[in-house]
């Protein structure tokens, strides 16, 4: 039983963090997509290793960069409340046209799937399109801080 307890935190380390799950999943999906594109274009005369490598960098950068912006938006919207949430969405939509809508919609669907399939953490999961999910997470964090500040810290 002691061995089981010792192994559990490592498993829970990834499964308890929706961010880690999504980062790994999106990096793997980006690499798989790159592999498919590389296989299709490998025989063409203008395909070089440098071109394929740059395509990998752009593809992974686009996927993970969009995901980072999505997470940043969620954190700022959570901290700022409903008005800031709406203002950020409007500004992002004006700056990026429909890209924001589609990227955040796809990432919300992806987050929902990852939550259902892999996530086992305590923290409520937030979505870009759900102001309620951000408020639930904010209340959860405040309650957690209140409990942590009320209980003495043990060095066991």
């Amino acid at each position: 039983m002691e061995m089981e307890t010792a192994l559990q935190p490592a498993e829970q380390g990834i499964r308890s963090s929706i961010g880690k799950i999504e980062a790994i999943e999106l990096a793997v999906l980006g690499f798989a997509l790159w592999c498919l594109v590389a296989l299709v274009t490998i025989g063409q005369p203008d395909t070089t290793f440098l071109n394929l490598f740059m395509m990998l960098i752009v593809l992974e950068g686009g996927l993970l960069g969009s995901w980072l912006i999505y997470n940043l938006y969620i954190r700022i919207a959570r901290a700022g409340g409903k008005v800031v949430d709406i203002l950020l969405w409007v500004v992002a939509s004006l700056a990026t046209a429909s890209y924001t809508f589609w990227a955040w919609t796809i990432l919300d669907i992806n987050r929902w799937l990852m939550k259902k399939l892999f996530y086992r953490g305590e923290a409520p999961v937030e979505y870009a399109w759900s102001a309620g999910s951000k408020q639930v997470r904010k209340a959860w964090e405040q309650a957690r801080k209140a409990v942590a500040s009320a209980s003495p810290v043990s060095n066991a």
Side-chain angles (χ1 to χ4, degrees):
M1 184 154 153
E2 203 168 305
M3 176 69 89
E4 182 180 318
T5 306
L7 294 176
Q8 191 174 9
E11 177 190 323
Q12 286 297 323
I14 292 174
R15 296 193 72 178
S16 65
S17 172
I18 193 75
K20 290 176 187 175
I21 293 169
E22 288 175 332
I24 292 167
E25 179 241 353
L26 289 172
V28 169
L29 283 176
F31 185 73
L33 181 61
W34 175 78
C35 287
L36 288 173
V37 171
L39 285 173
V40 169
T41 62
I42 200 81
Q44 297 179 3
D46 60 342
T47 301
T48 65
F49 176 74
L50 182 61
N51 289 348
L52 290 174
F53 183 72
M54 291 306 294
M55 182 178 56
L56 175 64
I57 298 299
V58 169
L59 183 61
E60 291 288 355
L63 275 172
L64 294 173
S66 294
W67 175 73
L68 287 172
I69 291 168
Y70 166 83
N71 282 308
L72 181 64
Y73 161 75
I74 288 173
R75 288 181 188 265
I76 293 170
R78 177 191 340 135
K82 200 168 192 167
V83 172
V84 172
D85 187 357
I86 293 168
L87 286 174
L88 278 174
W89 184 84
V90 169
V91 169
S93 295
L94 289 174
T96 64
S98 69
Y99 175 78
T100 300
F101 172 80
W102 290 110
W104 291 356
T105 300
I106 291 167
L107 288 168
D108 268 1
I109 293 167
N110 182 66
R111 179 164 282 185
W112 181 81
L113 285 171
M114 293 301 104
K115 175 187 167 203
K116 293 292 183 189
L117 295 173
F118 301 110
Y119 181 64
R120 300 295 177 257
E122 296 176 18
V125 176
E126 301 172 277
Y127 302 95
W129 294 119
S130 171
S133 70
K134 292 179 209 102
Q135 295 310 309
V136 167
R137 174 67 182 251
K138 187 175 186 175
W140 179 84
E141 285 180 354
Q142 289 171 343
R144 192 169 159 210
K145 286 178 187 176
V147 168
S149 66
S151 64
V153 177
S154 65
N155 293 335

